[in-house]
Amino acid sequence: MRISLLGRNKRLYDRARAKFMSTQCVTIPQLATGAFYCFGLRTRVALSEPVQIDAGIYASPETPFYVDDWWQEQLGKIQVKRINGCNLFLLALTDDPAFESFLSGRLQSYHLALLLQGVAYSSNGVTLARQNSQTRLRVNAIGTLDTYYEPYKVIARSVSKDHLAATPALAKGIDFMFADESKYLRLRKGFNAFLDGIRQNQVHSRLHNFVRAIEAIIKPKQGNSTKKFTYRCQFLIGRKQADASLLRELYELRSAAEHLNPMNDKLTAYPSHDRDNVKGLRTLQMELLASFIYRKILSCPLLLQQFSSDDSIERLWSRDHKDLETTWGTTIDLHSAKGNVHFPSDGQFLDFLS
């Protein structure tokens, strides 16, 4: 569940964030007062030292806290093994009591910002927390993180400094979207559908949720959904005939998944031995498109405002063709994603599309 940042505490939060200007390698401070909260992830990482992401937010490839002998005994070998198996730690800490209750929600926004970039998928992750002390960060509370699966037959990119540098703007957009429950209802539902998608490891469930996430943005009308989906998504992937054909096929696959029908029935144009690979590819393309759209919206305050209500979304899509092209700007090449899925013909995996 998201935590809203309201009133005086939000102003404090924004001022603290404004003090930080760039992602940089640092030594994580050892605070004598306050508290910390940590996500331990099992993921792919390209970091060799701790990095400061934002004010009070850090990433480290090594354990930034101390599990003393007593806590190791209390946790048991299995829990300690889970902690030691993590290779990326996202850490939020503060010496200000006014911030303590927001640490877990704030840290979650940064993790979700990484997931929107196609990195930091993780299974069997942990949450860790405690009050700071004058000696070292010591853990006395442990929990379990949600599992977020990599795309089918895809090796995702490793978390890098560039990914971490992009997280503050996205995290700010995520916090803003959830701060006022009277606004952004459709956008929040769509974003949660995207998260539900990457929590699934079955292609039909993933694809269905990614299309739902996109439908929250394009708002197609019942009875005309395929045509509207195709037309409006072309502002995001391009307007060639191949783009329109791809979008129609993606929506047909979504319909099969929605009605619990075999997705293979929509793929009769492909050899039967390749249909599982095609389903994986189409699911990957839907994830790429959904994450691309939400990165655009959440990192641009002016665009984000267009999704504050159903009426504002209708007004956005009622603009003329040229206006919509200007509003959405750059497009994503979904056809390039073909190289990211393992096909028997080439026998190899390639990196996640940037």
Side-chain angles (χ1 to χ4, degrees), residues 4-273:
S4 298
L5 302 175
L6 302 173
R8 188 180 73 87
N9 285 329
K10 185 179 186 302
R11 291 194 294 274
L12 289 170
Y13 171 77
D14 288 340
R15 283 201 297 271
R17 183 194 291 274
K19 292 178 182 178
F20 189 80
M21 298 302 294
S22 63
T23 303
Q24 53 186 324
C25 297
V26 295
T27 299
I28 296 175
Q30 300 294 317
L31 303 180
T33 60
F36 75 89
Y37 204 90
C38 181
F39 287 178
L41 309 178
R42 292 169 176 256
T43 190
R44 305 183 193 279
V45 187
L47 299 177
S48 59
E49 53 193 339
V51 171
Q52 185 169 6
I53 306 171
D54 207 339
I57 303 290
Y58 301 84
S60 174
E62 297 180 351
T63 311
F65 47 77
Y66 176 60
V67 182
D68 58 31
D69 292 340
W70 185 85
W71 258 103
Q72 288 194 38
E73 183 179 345
Q74 299 304 307
L75 292 171
K77 291 182 179 180
I78 294 177
Q79 292 283 42
V80 173
K81 186 176 180 180
R82 284 180 63 203
I83 297 171
N84 291 336
C86 296
N87 59 352
L88 178 64
F89 296 89
L90 301 179
L91 178 70
L93 71 166
T94 183
D95 57 4
D96 187 343
F99 282 112
E100 291 183 19
S101 61
F102 297 114
L103 290 180
S104 61
R106 188 182 180 206
L107 195 60
Q108 184 186 36
S109 297
Y110 286 83
H111 184 207
L112 299 183
L114 288 171
L115 290 167
L116 276 174
Q117 298 176 70
V119 296
Y121 301 97
S122 177
S123 61
N124 207 27
V126 296
T127 63
L128 304 135
R130 193 187 159 165
Q131 298 297 113
N132 297 322
S133 69
Q134 293 183 346
T135 53
R136 301 175 68 180
L137 298 180
R138 291 172 178 264
V139 174
N140 71 351
I142 185 169
T144 301
L145 275 176
D146 285 344
T147 291
Y148 295 101
Y149 293 98
E150 290 187 347
Y152 180 64
K153 292 190 176 183
V154 171
I155 297 177
R157 286 189 171 180
S158 298
V159 178
S160 68
K161 291 181 181 179
D162 287 342
H163 294 121
L164 296 173
T167 57
L170 290 170
K172 185 176 182 179
I174 292 169
D175 287 339
F176 188 84
M177 174 176 58
F178 282 96
D180 186 347
E181 293 184 359
S182 68
K183 297 180 180 179
Y184 301 102
L185 178 60
R186 188 178 183 89
L187 189 65
R188 292 199 302 271
K189 288 181 176 180
F191 184 69
N192 284 329
F194 172 79
L195 298 179
D196 287 342
I198 55 178
R199 290 189 187 105
Q200 305 295 323
N201 63 357
Q202 299 294 321
V203 292
H204 66 278
S205 295
R206 289 177 75 95
L207 184 141
H208 180 223
N209 278 294
F210 296 145
V211 175
R212 288 179 63 227
I214 295 169
E215 285 182 309
I217 303 303
I218 64 173
K219 206 175 184 297
K221 293 181 179 179
Q222 290 186 353
N224 196 24
S225 53
T226 303
K227 184 177 179 180
K228 284 295 185 183
F229 181 86
T230 302
Y231 171 73
R232 292 180 176 179
C233 283
Q234 284 184 280
F235 289 102
L236 297 150
I237 77 166
R239 309 203 64 79
K240 296 179 181 178
Q241 183 58 45
D243 299 322
S245 297
L246 173 60
L247 289 168
R248 284 192 291 268
E249 183 176 300
L250 287 167
Y251 205 75
E252 286 295 310
L253 289 171
R254 168 264 179 205
S255 297
E258 169 77 18
H259 299 293
L260 305 180
N261 295 322
M263 294 171 68
N264 281 351
D265 290 353
K266 303 294 185 181
L267 299 173
T268 55
Y270 303 94
S272 58
H273 65 271

